């Protein structure tokens, strides 16, 4: 009971419990430090006379977190990183010059940047800070005008991108961009029409994530949901025809966890006015167990993955050896 309450509190607060080794954490910290140091040193070397010109913008610190702590995350990849910063810089400078540097101009710059990044599939959260800097960064930033997009933003982005590629490339499991990671062979999937993938639990996810040994920018709940939806698509793609619905028989939707359900067909009736067939049923397992319902026959067939029969404490598909392990 205490463990479940603690899990609930962690989920509520958004505390990520991904298992990552100390070595991986130290590598991430070292990479971020090297990346920012390189940006400053290279900027100083290339712009020795840039007195009063900022050589580093603060949003690069946030980008360093993504590129070195979450190098495989979708928000860390080159297109979001490059376009997110440069487009936001253009929007920020434009707002500063056309709308002024008031608080509402800063708000518009950030909002527009988010919208454009969404539209162009280049969401990179530090880009919002880049747009904000262009508006409220002070006289030194405002004096640069659109040059701010290239120096310092463009130069910062280029240097940090090169360092992320080189540093993460030193480690086989940390290749950057993520497309450079060697892909494991695709497992052979049982394509039997009644095949039901095994249920994944929290312990299985913990074990799998510990083998990846990298921070994953997705919640455990989302991982489970993605797995469930993907396996449903596999089941649908291999299903030859909907099951025949018969009175007194039991049918399952083949889903997992709280969405799993078994229904018993009570009656099949035809509406005299519309000539539509309806199925009256009772839920015998699942979240709404022992409640009754009614659907059109065609909708019930779409819901039903297969017919099932009782097998001791489990339900198994008819004429199939795969057992649904959910208990009543």
């Amino acid at each position: 009971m205490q463990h479940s309450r603690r899990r609930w509190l962690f989920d509520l607060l958004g505390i990520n419990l991904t298992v990552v080794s100390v070595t991986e954490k130290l590598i991430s910290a070292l990479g971020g430090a090297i990346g920012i140091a390189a940006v400053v040193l290279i900027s100083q070397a290339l712009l020795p006379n840039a007195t009063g010109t900022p050589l580093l913008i603060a949003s690069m610190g946030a980008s360093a977190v993504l590129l070195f702590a979450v190098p495989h995350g979708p928000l860390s990849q080159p297109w979001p990183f490059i376009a997110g910063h440069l487009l936001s810089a253009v929007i920020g400078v434009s707002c500063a010059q056309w709308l002024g540097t008031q608080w509402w101009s800063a708000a518009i710059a950030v909002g527009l940047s988010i919208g454009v990044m969404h539209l162009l599939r280049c969401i990179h959260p530090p880009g919002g800070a880049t747009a904000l800097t262009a508006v409220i960064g002070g006289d030194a930033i405002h004096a640069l005008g659109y040059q701010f997009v290239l120096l310092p933003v463009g130069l910062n982005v280029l240097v940090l991108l090169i360092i992320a590629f080189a540093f993460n490339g030193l480690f086989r499991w940390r290749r950057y961009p993520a497309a450079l990671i060697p892909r494991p062979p695709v497992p052979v999937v049982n394509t039997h029409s009644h095949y039901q993938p095994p249920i994944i639990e929290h312990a299985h996810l913990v074990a799998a994530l510990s083998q990846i040994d990298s921070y994953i920018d997705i919640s455990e709940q989302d991982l489970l949901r993605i797995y469930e939806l993907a396996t449903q698509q596999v089941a649908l793609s291999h299903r030859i025809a909907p099951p025949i619905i018969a009175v007194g028989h039991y049918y399952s939707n083949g889903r997992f966890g709280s969405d799993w359900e078994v229904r018993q067909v009570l009656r099949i009736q035809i509406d005299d006015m519309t000539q539509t067939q309806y199925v009256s049923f009772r839920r015998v397992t699942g979240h709404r167990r022992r409640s009754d319902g009614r659907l059109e026959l065609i909708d019930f067939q779409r819901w039903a993955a297969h017919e099932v029969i009782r097998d001791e404490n489990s339900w198994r598909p008819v004429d199939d050896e795969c057992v649904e392990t959910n208990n009543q």
Side-chain angles (χ1 to χ4, degrees):
M1 185 68 174
Q2 184 177 0
H3 174 73
S4 62
R5 288 180 178 176
R6 184 166 62 250
R7 284 283 306 169
W8 176 83
L9 181 60
F10 285 171
D11 291 341
L12 183 65
L13 296 177
I15 299 176
N16 192 295
L17 301 178
T18 302
V19 179
V20 180
S21 67
V22 175
T23 300
E24 177 68 11
K25 294 173 183 177
L26 291 176
I27 290 174
S28 299
L30 178 62
I34 292 175
I36 295 300
V39 170
V40 175
L41 295 176
I42 292 175
S43 297
Q44 289 178 340
L46 295 179
L47 304 170
N49 300 319
T51 304
T53 300
L55 299 179
L56 177 70
I57 58 173
S59 57
M60 289 300 145
S63 290
V65 174
L66 290 173
L67 269 62
F68 296 100
V70 199
H72 305 151
L75 305 182
S76 308
Q77 300 313 297
W79 171 246
F81 174 52
I82 298 170
H85 274 297
L86 296 184
L87 292 172
S88 296
V90 171
I91 291 171
V93 172
S94 299
C95 287
Q97 292 195 353
W98 299 344
L99 303 178
T101 58
Q102 294 83 358
W103 66 268
W104 51 269
S105 176
I108 292 175
V110 173
L112 286 175
S113 296
I114 293 173
V116 170
M117 286 190 287
H118 248 307
L119 183 65
L120 299 181
R121 301 176 184 272
C122 58
I123 295 179
H124 188 68
T130 297
L132 189 63
T133 300
V135 178
I136 65 171
D139 294 338
I141 296 293
H142 299 154
L144 293 175
Y146 285 100
Q147 182 184 335
F148 173 75
V149 178
L150 297 178
L151 298 172
V153 175
L155 181 59
N156 287 181
V157 166
L158 178 62
V159 173
L160 200 57
L161 184 68
I162 294 173
I163 297 301
F165 173 80
F167 180 84
N168 289 316
L170 297 174
F171 310 95
R172 178 179 51 82
W173 67 94
R174 286 179 60 98
R175 300 294 165 80
Y176 179 86
L180 298 179
I181 303 173
R183 301 298 181 186
V186 178
V188 177
V189 178
N190 183 351
T191 58
H192 193 284
S193 61
H194 291 315
Y195 169 68
Q196 289 296 308
I199 295 175
I200 291 182
E201 298 177 354
H202 169 70
H204 303 142
L205 281 178
V206 171
L209 292 174
S210 64
Q211 295 181 42
I212 294 176
D213 193 24
S214 179
Y215 183 88
I216 306 297
D217 190 19
I218 187 172
S219 69
E220 179 182 318
Q221 290 75 19
D222 285 340
L223 280 174
L224 286 170
R225 185 59 177 163
I226 290 171
Y227 171 81
E228 177 186 351
L229 293 173
T231 50
Q232 287 177 27
Q233 290 300 314
V234 171
L236 289 173
S237 65
H238 294 299
R239 193 164 110 182
I240 299 174
I244 298 175
I245 308 302
V247 175
H249 290 217
Y250 298 86
Y251 301 87
S252 168
N253 58 356
R255 296 189 179 183
F256 305 96
S258 60
D259 291 332
W260 176 72
E261 193 174 290
V262 172
R263 297 173 178 177
Q264 181 187 19
V265 175
L266 303 178
R267 290 179 301 276
I268 299 178
Q269 299 171 306
I270 300 178
D271 186 280
D272 294 334
M273 296 289 295
T274 63
Q275 296 300 304
T276 301
Q277 289 184 292
Y278 287 91
V279 176
S280 298
F281 59 87
R282 175 163 297 152
R283 299 175 180 89
V284 295
T285 65
H287 178 64
R288 299 174 62 188
R289 180 184 174 190
R290 295 176 181 168
S291 63
D292 294 343
R294 188 169 182 259
L295 283 174
E296 287 189 26
L297 176 60
I298 188 172
D299 291 331
F300 190 91
Q301 287 179 313
R302 289 170 180 164
W303 171 89
H306 42 247
E307 183 180 351
V308 294
I309 58 175
R310 189 73 173 176
D311 183 12
E312 295 184 355
N313 293 324
S314 300
W315 294 88
R316 68 175 177 85
V318 174
D319 298 328
D320 194 272
E321 296 179 355
C322 294
V323 176
E324 294 203 2
T325 56
N326 297 71
N327 294 331
Q328 181 173 342

